[in-house]
Short mmCIF file of all heavy atoms in Angstrom, two decimals:
data_model
loop_
_atom_site.label_atom_id
_atom_site.label_comp_id
_atom_site.label_asym_id
_atom_site.label_seq_id
_atom_site.Cartn_x
_atom_site.Cartn_y
_atom_site.Cartn_z
N TYR Z 1 0.80 -1.21 0.00
CA TYR Z 1 0.00 0.00 0.00
C TYR Z 1 0.84 1.27 0.00
O TYR Z 1 0.70 2.14 -0.87
CB TYR Z 1 -0.93 -0.05 1.22
CG TYR Z 1 -1.81 1.15 1.44
CD1 TYR Z 1 -3.00 1.31 0.72
CD2 TYR Z 1 -1.50 2.10 2.40
CE1 TYR Z 1 -3.83 2.40 0.95
CE2 TYR Z 1 -2.32 3.19 2.64
CZ TYR Z 1 -3.48 3.34 1.91
OH TYR Z 1 -4.30 4.42 2.15
N GLU Z 2 1.73 1.45 0.98
CA GLU Z 2 2.48 2.70 1.10
C GLU Z 2 3.43 2.92 -0.08
O GLU Z 2 3.46 4.03 -0.66
CB GLU Z 2 3.23 2.75 2.43
CG GLU Z 2 2.34 2.74 3.67
CD GLU Z 2 1.62 4.06 3.91
OE1 GLU Z 2 1.84 5.02 3.14
OE2 GLU Z 2 0.84 4.13 4.87
N PRO Z 3 4.24 1.93 -0.47
CA PRO Z 3 5.09 2.16 -1.65
C PRO Z 3 4.30 2.45 -2.92
O PRO Z 3 4.74 3.26 -3.76
CB PRO Z 3 5.87 0.84 -1.77
CG PRO Z 3 5.91 0.30 -0.39
CD PRO Z 3 4.57 0.66 0.19
N TYR Z 4 3.13 1.83 -3.05
CA TYR Z 4 2.32 2.09 -4.24
C TYR Z 4 1.88 3.55 -4.29
O TYR Z 4 1.97 4.21 -5.34
CB TYR Z 4 1.10 1.17 -4.26
CG TYR Z 4 0.19 1.44 -5.43
CD1 TYR Z 4 0.49 0.97 -6.71
CD2 TYR Z 4 -0.98 2.19 -5.27
CE1 TYR Z 4 -0.33 1.24 -7.80
CE2 TYR Z 4 -1.81 2.46 -6.35
CZ TYR Z 4 -1.48 1.98 -7.61
OH TYR Z 4 -2.30 2.26 -8.68
N ILE Z 5 1.43 4.09 -3.16
CA ILE Z 5 1.02 5.50 -3.12
C ILE Z 5 2.22 6.40 -3.44
O ILE Z 5 2.11 7.35 -4.22
CB ILE Z 5 0.44 5.86 -1.74
CG1 ILE Z 5 -0.86 5.09 -1.48
CG2 ILE Z 5 0.18 7.37 -1.64
CD1 ILE Z 5 -1.40 5.25 -0.08
N PHE Z 6 3.37 6.08 -2.84
CA PHE Z 6 4.56 6.90 -3.04
C PHE Z 6 4.97 6.93 -4.51
O PHE Z 6 5.36 7.98 -5.04
CB PHE Z 6 5.70 6.35 -2.19
CG PHE Z 6 6.98 7.13 -2.29
CD1 PHE Z 6 7.09 8.37 -1.68
CD2 PHE Z 6 8.06 6.62 -2.98
CE1 PHE Z 6 8.27 9.11 -1.78
CE2 PHE Z 6 9.23 7.35 -3.08
CZ PHE Z 6 9.34 8.59 -2.47
N GLU Z 7 4.89 5.79 -5.17
CA GLU Z 7 5.35 5.70 -6.56
C GLU Z 7 4.32 6.20 -7.57
O GLU Z 7 4.68 6.70 -8.64
CB GLU Z 7 5.70 4.24 -6.88
CG GLU Z 7 6.92 3.74 -6.10
CD GLU Z 7 7.07 2.23 -6.12
OE1 GLU Z 7 6.26 1.57 -6.82
OE2 GLU Z 7 7.97 1.72 -5.44
N SER Z 8 3.03 6.08 -7.24
CA SER Z 8 2.00 6.37 -8.23
C SER Z 8 1.23 7.65 -7.97
O SER Z 8 0.58 8.20 -8.88
CB SER Z 8 1.00 5.21 -8.30
OG SER Z 8 0.20 5.16 -7.13
N GLY Z 9 1.23 8.14 -6.72
CA GLY Z 9 0.38 9.28 -6.37
C GLY Z 9 -1.09 8.93 -6.35
O GLY Z 9 -1.94 9.82 -6.40
N ARG Z 10 -1.40 7.65 -6.21
CA ARG Z 10 -2.78 7.17 -6.19
C ARG Z 10 -3.04 6.46 -4.87
O ARG Z 10 -2.22 5.65 -4.43
CB ARG Z 10 -3.02 6.22 -7.36
CG ARG Z 10 -2.97 6.92 -8.72
CD ARG Z 10 -2.51 5.98 -9.83
NE ARG Z 10 -3.43 4.87 -10.06
CZ ARG Z 10 -4.44 4.87 -10.93
NH1 ARG Z 10 -4.67 5.97 -11.66
NH2 ARG Z 10 -5.20 3.82 -11.11
N VAL Z 11 -4.16 6.78 -4.23
CA VAL Z 11 -4.48 6.23 -2.91
C VAL Z 11 -5.61 5.20 -3.04
O VAL Z 11 -6.77 5.57 -3.26
CB VAL Z 11 -4.93 7.35 -1.93
CG1 VAL Z 11 -5.24 6.76 -0.56
CG2 VAL Z 11 -3.84 8.42 -1.83
N PRO Z 12 -5.29 3.92 -2.93
CA PRO Z 12 -6.35 2.90 -2.96
C PRO Z 12 -7.30 3.09 -1.79
O PRO Z 12 -6.87 3.28 -0.64
CB PRO Z 12 -5.58 1.58 -2.85
CG PRO Z 12 -4.20 1.90 -3.33
CD PRO Z 12 -3.96 3.31 -2.86
N THR Z 13 -8.58 3.04 -2.06
CA THR Z 13 -9.58 3.44 -1.08
C THR Z 13 -10.73 2.43 -1.04
O THR Z 13 -11.34 2.15 -2.06
CB THR Z 13 -10.13 4.84 -1.41
OG1 THR Z 13 -9.03 5.77 -1.45
CG2 THR Z 13 -11.14 5.31 -0.36
N ARG Z 14 -11.01 1.92 0.16
CA ARG Z 14 -12.12 1.01 0.36
C ARG Z 14 -13.36 1.81 0.75
O ARG Z 14 -13.28 2.98 1.07
CB ARG Z 14 -11.79 0.00 1.47
CG ARG Z 14 -10.53 -0.83 1.19
CD ARG Z 14 -10.07 -1.53 2.45
NE ARG Z 14 -9.67 -0.54 3.46
CZ ARG Z 14 -9.16 -0.85 4.65
NH1 ARG Z 14 -8.96 -2.12 4.98
NH2 ARG Z 14 -8.83 0.09 5.51
N GLU Z 15 -14.48 1.12 0.76
CA GLU Z 15 -15.70 1.75 1.26
C GLU Z 15 -15.68 1.75 2.79
O GLU Z 15 -14.92 1.03 3.42
CB GLU Z 15 -16.93 1.01 0.73
CG GLU Z 15 -17.04 1.01 -0.79
CD GLU Z 15 -16.91 2.40 -1.39
OE1 GLU Z 15 -17.60 3.33 -0.91
OE2 GLU Z 15 -16.11 2.58 -2.32
N GLY Z 16 -16.54 2.56 3.39
CA GLY Z 16 -16.65 2.59 4.84
C GLY Z 16 -15.99 3.81 5.46
O GLY Z 16 -15.31 4.61 4.80
N LEU Z 17 -16.20 3.95 6.76
CA LEU Z 17 -15.76 5.13 7.49
C LEU Z 17 -14.25 5.28 7.53
O LEU Z 17 -13.74 6.39 7.40
CB LEU Z 17 -16.29 5.06 8.93
CG LEU Z 17 -17.80 5.27 9.12
CD1 LEU Z 17 -18.22 4.80 10.51
CD2 LEU Z 17 -18.15 6.74 8.92
N HIS Z 18 -13.52 4.19 7.72
CA HIS Z 18 -12.08 4.28 7.93
C HIS Z 18 -11.39 4.96 6.76
O HIS Z 18 -10.63 5.92 6.93
CB HIS Z 18 -11.51 2.88 8.17
CG HIS Z 18 -10.08 2.88 8.62
ND1 HIS Z 18 -9.73 3.04 9.94
CD2 HIS Z 18 -8.92 2.76 7.92
CE1 HIS Z 18 -8.41 3.02 10.05
NE2 HIS Z 18 -7.89 2.85 8.83
N ASP Z 19 -11.64 4.47 5.56
CA ASP Z 19 -10.96 5.04 4.40
C ASP Z 19 -11.56 6.37 3.97
O ASP Z 19 -10.87 7.19 3.37
CB ASP Z 19 -10.99 4.04 3.24
CG ASP Z 19 -9.92 2.96 3.39
OD1 ASP Z 19 -9.43 2.77 4.52
OD2 ASP Z 19 -9.58 2.30 2.39
N PHE Z 20 -12.84 6.60 4.30
CA PHE Z 20 -13.41 7.92 4.03
C PHE Z 20 -12.67 8.98 4.85
O PHE Z 20 -12.26 10.03 4.32
CB PHE Z 20 -14.90 7.96 4.36
CG PHE Z 20 -15.51 9.33 4.20
CD1 PHE Z 20 -15.86 9.80 2.94
CD2 PHE Z 20 -15.72 10.15 5.30
CE1 PHE Z 20 -16.41 11.08 2.78
CE2 PHE Z 20 -16.27 11.42 5.15
CZ PHE Z 20 -16.62 11.88 3.89
N PHE Z 21 -12.49 8.72 6.15
CA PHE Z 21 -11.79 9.70 6.98
C PHE Z 21 -10.32 9.81 6.59
O PHE Z 21 -9.74 10.90 6.67
CB PHE Z 21 -11.94 9.34 8.46
CG PHE Z 21 -13.30 9.64 9.03
CD1 PHE Z 21 -14.01 8.67 9.73
CD2 PHE Z 21 -13.88 10.88 8.87
CE1 PHE Z 21 -15.26 8.93 10.25
CE2 PHE Z 21 -15.14 11.16 9.39
CZ PHE Z 21 -15.84 10.18 10.08
N ASN Z 22 -9.71 8.71 6.18
CA ASN Z 22 -8.33 8.79 5.69
C ASN Z 22 -8.25 9.75 4.50
O ASN Z 22 -7.38 10.62 4.44
CB ASN Z 22 -7.84 7.40 5.29
CG ASN Z 22 -6.42 7.43 4.75
OD1 ASN Z 22 -5.51 7.95 5.40
ND2 ASN Z 22 -6.21 6.87 3.57
N GLY Z 23 -9.18 9.60 3.57
CA GLY Z 23 -9.20 10.48 2.41
C GLY Z 23 -9.46 11.93 2.80
O GLY Z 23 -8.86 12.86 2.24
N LEU Z 24 -10.33 12.14 3.78
CA LEU Z 24 -10.64 13.50 4.21
C LEU Z 24 -9.41 14.17 4.82
O LEU Z 24 -9.18 15.37 4.60
CB LEU Z 24 -11.79 13.44 5.22
CG LEU Z 24 -12.59 14.72 5.45
CD1 LEU Z 24 -13.12 15.31 4.16
CD2 LEU Z 24 -13.75 14.43 6.42
N ILE Z 25 -8.60 13.41 5.55
CA ILE Z 25 -7.37 13.97 6.09
C ILE Z 25 -6.38 14.26 4.97
O ILE Z 25 -5.66 15.28 5.00
CB ILE Z 25 -6.76 13.03 7.15
CG1 ILE Z 25 -7.70 12.92 8.36
CG2 ILE Z 25 -5.40 13.53 7.61
CD1 ILE Z 25 -7.99 14.23 9.06
N TRP Z 26 -6.32 13.42 3.94
CA TRP Z 26 -5.51 13.73 2.77
C TRP Z 26 -5.92 15.08 2.17
O TRP Z 26 -5.06 15.88 1.75
CB TRP Z 26 -5.66 12.65 1.70
CG TRP Z 26 -4.67 11.54 1.75
CD1 TRP Z 26 -4.87 10.26 2.23
CD2 TRP Z 26 -3.32 11.56 1.26
NE1 TRP Z 26 -3.73 9.52 2.08
CE2 TRP Z 26 -2.76 10.28 1.48
CE3 TRP Z 26 -2.53 12.54 0.66
CZ2 TRP Z 26 -1.45 9.96 1.13
CZ3 TRP Z 26 -1.22 12.22 0.29
CH2 TRP Z 26 -0.69 10.95 0.53
N LEU Z 27 -7.20 15.35 2.11
CA LEU Z 27 -7.67 16.61 1.52
C LEU Z 27 -7.28 17.82 2.37
O LEU Z 27 -7.00 18.89 1.84
CB LEU Z 27 -9.18 16.58 1.35
CG LEU Z 27 -9.76 15.52 0.39
CD1 LEU Z 27 -11.27 15.65 0.31
CD2 LEU Z 27 -9.13 15.61 -0.99
N HIS Z 28 -7.25 17.65 3.68
CA HIS Z 28 -6.96 18.78 4.57
C HIS Z 28 -5.48 18.95 4.87
O HIS Z 28 -5.02 20.07 5.14
CB HIS Z 28 -7.74 18.61 5.89
CG HIS Z 28 -9.19 18.92 5.77
ND1 HIS Z 28 -10.10 18.02 5.27
CD2 HIS Z 28 -9.89 20.05 6.06
CE1 HIS Z 28 -11.31 18.56 5.27
NE2 HIS Z 28 -11.21 19.80 5.74
N PHE Z 29 -4.72 17.85 4.87
CA PHE Z 29 -3.30 17.90 5.22
C PHE Z 29 -2.47 17.15 4.17
O PHE Z 29 -1.78 16.18 4.49
CB PHE Z 29 -3.06 17.28 6.60
CG PHE Z 29 -3.80 17.95 7.73
CD1 PHE Z 29 -5.01 17.44 8.20
CD2 PHE Z 29 -3.30 19.10 8.33
CE1 PHE Z 29 -5.68 18.05 9.24
CE2 PHE Z 29 -3.96 19.72 9.38
CZ PHE Z 29 -5.17 19.19 9.83
N PRO Z 30 -2.52 17.57 2.92
CA PRO Z 30 -1.87 16.79 1.86
C PRO Z 30 -0.36 16.68 2.03
O PRO Z 30 0.23 15.62 1.77
CB PRO Z 30 -2.24 17.54 0.58
CG PRO Z 30 -2.59 18.93 1.03
CD PRO Z 30 -3.22 18.76 2.36
N GLN Z 31 0.30 17.75 2.46
CA GLN Z 31 1.76 17.70 2.60
C GLN Z 31 2.18 16.79 3.74
O GLN Z 31 3.17 16.05 3.64
CB GLN Z 31 2.31 19.10 2.80
CG GLN Z 31 2.12 20.02 1.61
CD GLN Z 31 2.74 21.37 1.83
OE1 GLN Z 31 3.95 21.54 1.72
NE2 GLN Z 31 1.92 22.35 2.16
N THR Z 32 1.43 16.82 4.84
CA THR Z 32 1.75 15.96 5.97
C THR Z 32 1.52 14.50 5.62
O THR Z 32 2.33 13.63 5.95
CB THR Z 32 0.91 16.35 7.20
OG1 THR Z 32 1.13 17.74 7.49
CG2 THR Z 32 1.29 15.51 8.40
N LYS Z 33 0.42 14.22 4.94
CA LYS Z 33 0.15 12.84 4.53
C LYS Z 33 1.23 12.35 3.55
O LYS Z 33 1.67 11.20 3.63
CB LYS Z 33 -1.24 12.73 3.91
CG LYS Z 33 -2.38 12.90 4.90
CD LYS Z 33 -2.51 11.69 5.83
CE LYS Z 33 -3.22 10.55 5.13
NZ LYS Z 33 -3.50 9.43 6.08
N GLN Z 34 1.65 13.21 2.65
CA GLN Z 34 2.72 12.83 1.72
C GLN Z 34 4.02 12.56 2.48
O GLN Z 34 4.77 11.64 2.14
CB GLN Z 34 2.90 13.91 0.67
CG GLN Z 34 1.78 13.95 -0.36
CD GLN Z 34 1.84 15.16 -1.26
OE1 GLN Z 34 2.64 16.08 -1.05
NE2 GLN Z 34 1.01 15.18 -2.29
N LYS Z 35 4.29 13.36 3.52
CA LYS Z 35 5.51 13.16 4.30
C LYS Z 35 5.45 11.83 5.04
O LYS Z 35 6.43 11.06 5.03
CB LYS Z 35 5.68 14.31 5.29
CG LYS Z 35 6.92 14.21 6.18
CD LYS Z 35 8.20 14.30 5.36
CE LYS Z 35 9.43 14.44 6.23
NZ LYS Z 35 9.52 15.79 6.85
N LEU Z 36 4.33 11.52 5.67
CA LEU Z 36 4.18 10.25 6.36
C LEU Z 36 4.32 9.08 5.39
O LEU Z 36 4.96 8.07 5.70
CB LEU Z 36 2.84 10.18 7.08
CG LEU Z 36 2.68 11.10 8.29
CD1 LEU Z 36 1.21 11.15 8.73
CD2 LEU Z 36 3.55 10.62 9.45
N ASN Z 37 3.72 9.21 4.21
CA ASN Z 37 3.83 8.17 3.21
C ASN Z 37 5.27 7.99 2.76
O ASN Z 37 5.76 6.85 2.62
CB ASN Z 37 2.94 8.51 2.02
CG ASN Z 37 3.14 7.59 0.84
OD1 ASN Z 37 3.59 8.02 -0.22
ND2 ASN Z 37 2.82 6.31 0.99
N ALA Z 38 5.99 9.09 2.57
CA ALA Z 38 7.39 8.99 2.16
C ALA Z 38 8.24 8.33 3.23
O ALA Z 38 9.13 7.52 2.93
CB ALA Z 38 7.94 10.39 1.84
N LEU Z 39 7.97 8.65 4.50
CA LEU Z 39 8.71 8.02 5.60
C LEU Z 39 8.45 6.52 5.63
O LEU Z 39 9.37 5.71 5.81
CB LEU Z 39 8.30 8.65 6.93
CG LEU Z 39 8.77 10.08 7.19
CD1 LEU Z 39 8.11 10.64 8.45
CD2 LEU Z 39 10.29 10.14 7.31
N GLN Z 40 7.19 6.14 5.44
CA GLN Z 40 6.84 4.71 5.44
C GLN Z 40 7.50 4.01 4.26
O GLN Z 40 8.10 2.94 4.40
CB GLN Z 40 5.32 4.56 5.36
CG GLN Z 40 4.56 5.02 6.57
CD GLN Z 40 4.35 3.90 7.58
OE1 GLN Z 40 5.05 2.90 7.58
NE2 GLN Z 40 3.37 4.08 8.45
N ALA Z 41 7.38 4.59 3.07
CA ALA Z 41 7.93 3.96 1.87
C ALA Z 41 9.45 3.83 1.96
O ALA Z 41 10.02 2.81 1.57
CB ALA Z 41 7.53 4.75 0.63
N SER Z 42 10.11 4.86 2.49
CA SER Z 42 11.56 4.82 2.62
C SER Z 42 11.99 3.73 3.59
O SER Z 42 12.94 2.98 3.32
CB SER Z 42 12.07 6.18 3.10
OG SER Z 42 13.45 6.15 3.35
#
């Protein structure tokens, strides 16, 4: 999951509350989410 997002810029998203809120945080804090993703992928 994390390396795929880092390499593609695409966030795989399931239905339900968990991934909805994950996406909502991406919309509000895109740079922070990208930083966390980069740390995970690295």
Side-chain angles (χ1 to χ4, degrees):
Y1 177 80
E2 297 287 358
Y4 177 78
I5 295 172
F6 181 74
E7 293 165 5
S8 71
R10 292 151 63 92
V11 181
T13 303
R14 302 165 296 184
E15 299 309 310
L17 289 165
H18 190 84
D19 281 20
F20 176 80
F21 286 129
N22 179 52
L24 200 53
I25 296 300
W26 268 103
L27 297 181
H28 284 81
F29 300 98
Q31 294 183 78
T32 304
K33 290 288 281 186
Q34 287 171 352
K35 180 65 170 287
L36 290 168
N37 171 244
L39 290 171
Q40 292 269 20
S42 175

